[in-house]
Every structure is written in C-alpha cells, then in structure tokens.
Amino acid sequence: GQHLGQRFVIENVAGAGGSTAMTRAARAPNDGYTVIIGNSGTATAVYALYPDLKFTPDDFAPVGIVAKTSPVIALKKDHQAKTLKDFIDYAKKNPGKATLGHAGVGSASHLCALNLMDRLGLQMEGVSYRGTGPAMNDLIGGQFDVMCDQTTGTTNQIKDGKIKGYAVTTKFKVSSLPELPTLDSGAIPGFEVSAWHAMWAPKGVPKDASDKLVSALQVALKDPKVVDRFASLGTEPVAQALATPDALKTQLVAEVQKWGAVIKAAGVKGGN
C-alpha cells in the first residue's frame, strides 16, 4: 500500500476451506483493486474437497508467492507426553482418543495433520475450527491435544510457555525456534511439509495493473520492517524470483496434484 500510494482494506473471510473467500475474489472486478492472499491449503486443497466450486485456478491471475513457513507440531502444555515419541506411542495405544485441532477442512494445518497421521498410521479425533486463531485459543486452553500449525501462529505461544513445541515439519530447522528438531531427523525420516502464502488478482486484470502489483509485492518483501516482522514470526519473505506470477503458477500446479492425492487417500470431503 505504501509503495502504490493506496490504502488497502483488509477483510478476513472464513469458511469452506477458503473457498468462500476465493469465490468472492474470482467474482470481483478485474481492475487491479481487488487482490486475495491465500495459502497452500486454501489455494490447493479446495479443488479436491469441494466438487461444486464456482471457480478454477484459471479464474485467478497469479501475482507471486509472499512467504514460506514451517509448520510446528505443538501440544497443549499439560499433556502427559514429554516428547513427540511419547505422544506417538500414546496415540497408537489409544486409537481415536487423542484429539487433533486444525483451522478448518483443507487448511494448511489440516493437510499437515492428514499427512502426519498417514505416515504414522495414527487414528486421532479431528476438531475443526473456522481459522487458526480460534483453534490456537482452544489448544492454549487445553480443549484438544495436538495441532500442526505454522511458525507464524505458534512461535510466540511456545516461547511464552502457553503450548509445547515438539518438532518442525520442514527438513530445515527454523531460526525462531532453534531448539525444535525436524521430523525428518527424528520421528519420521523423509517427512517434509512446508506452508506458503501467495497473492492473486481476478483473471483478466490489465497487464499494467498486474505489473504494479508484482512490483509492489517485491518492494514490500525487501522492506526491513517486513523482514524483521516475518523473522519474529518464524518465517521470511521469499526470494524475488519466487515473488512472480510464473513461480506461483508452477507451485500451484504441483501442489494441487500433491494435496489432491493426500485428500483422496484420506477419504476427506469438504465439511467433514
């Protein structure tokens, strides 16, 4: 907004795995004044979860990837498990008893959880929320056992002792939580799940407007204040080569296929 000299009105739209927001954005005027930021869940999983969507990936003009983050396996602070291995053993010995919260069917936290349960052969009772915030509030309150959520939502809660962090799901450790091991190096060799956020406009946006949005995004991602704020949340802006329409399109194609297979194998449908 500062780079463009325009005020951005930000509206958080929850519901239906992000498809409510995506539908509104797809129908918005393509004049460059409406953009949407989605993540690796809301922008990919919806196509496997909801067969009657009113949009396809072709209804959006990619602007660029904004950031990539590492999900964290976190437990309520008073859970009996002292380590991740303890929790895995507990969940295996008590199928269906362990409870797992997530930010809604098809969200990044839900996809991470599906992948985790599949790799470990775990049965856990899912608790779905309308967004990460409400889910995190209930994890802090001890309403369920475990959550797989991005560093942006877990870092400060772990540092404040409100929840327990056990591991990150990427193959690299994160600077904001250096004490947490990777799943790949411990409990689940070869496991890797990362999350990302990206920006789109409605299809047909004029090229000059699209170019201005791409330029503004790239400038913003180099702003020291943005870099510092991202770092405090356990993430970092992507390299300039990824903050482009082509990079986002490539990422989207690959992950629609990847998460579609995971969702199909799990037998998950939108709303369950």
Side-chain angles (χ1 to χ4, degrees):
Q2 293 175 4
H3 177 65
L4 292 172
Q6 296 282 344
R7 177 174 175 265
F8 272 68
V9 177
I10 301 171
E11 183 179 2
N12 295 309
V13 181
S19 63
T20 301
M22 298 290 278
T23 299
R24 286 178 54 179
R27 294 173 175 173
N30 58 358
D31 54 10
Y33 284 91
T34 297
V35 296
I36 182 169
I37 289 186
N39 62 42
S40 47
T42 60
T44 61
V46 290
Y47 300 107
L49 289 167
Y50 301 96
D52 298 322
L53 291 175
K54 305 303 182 184
F55 60 86
T56 73
D58 292 334
D59 288 318
F60 303 95
V63 177
I65 302 172
V66 176
K68 290 191 175 183
T69 64
S70 174
V72 174
I73 307 299
L75 268 71
K76 61 183 183 181
K77 65 179 181 180
D78 60 351
H79 197 281
Q80 64 190 49
K82 302 299 182 184
T83 67
L84 181 58
K85 184 179 183 304
D86 289 342
F87 178 75
I88 293 171
D89 290 342
Y90 164 79
K92 286 184 175 180
K93 291 175 182 177
N94 300 276
K97 185 176 180 180
T99 50
L100 184 149
H102 57 78
V105 174
S107 64
S109 64
H110 182 227
L111 297 181
C112 178
L114 288 179
N115 219 350
L116 185 68
M117 289 190 289
D118 178 64
R119 286 292 302 274
L120 292 174
L122 297 179
Q123 296 179 34
M124 289 191 277
E125 183 70 24
V127 185
S128 181
Y129 290 82
R130 289 175 63 86
T132 299
M136 180 55 68
N137 286 338
D138 271 11
L139 179 61
I140 292 171
Q143 300 302 310
F144 59 87
D145 295 323
V146 64
M147 185 175 178
C148 180
D149 192 30
Q150 300 168 49
T151 47
T152 47
T154 56
T155 295
N156 290 334
Q157 310 299 348
I158 292 171
K159 288 182 175 180
D160 291 343
K162 295 179 179 179
I163 58 176
K164 295 192 292 189
Y166 281 177
V168 295
T169 66
T170 47
K171 290 190 175 182
F172 55 86
K173 299 178 75 170
V174 297
S175 58
S176 63
L177 297 167
E179 72 278 11
L180 298 188
T182 66
L183 283 179
D184 174 59
S185 66
I188 319 176
F191 189 93
E192 181 178 22
V193 172
S194 62
W196 49 269
H197 304 268
M199 181 182 290
W200 292 264
K203 72 173 181 180
V205 62
K207 186 177 185 307
D208 63 333
S210 176
D211 289 345
K212 287 180 179 179
L213 289 170
V214 173
S215 174
L217 173 62
Q218 293 183 347
V219 169
L221 294 181
K222 290 187 281 188
D223 187 302
K225 291 182 180 179
V226 174
V227 174
D228 289 345
R229 176 58 177 156
F230 276 28
S232 72
L233 295 171
T235 187
E236 61 183 28
V238 297
Q240 187 166 320
L242 293 179
T244 65
D246 287 344
L248 175 52
K249 185 176 181 179
T250 299
Q251 182 90 18
L252 188 66
V253 169
E255 296 221 3
V256 166
Q257 181 177 4
K258 171 186 175 180
W259 291 117
V262 170
I263 289 166
K264 182 179 180 180
V268 176
K269 304 278 186 191
N272 69 2

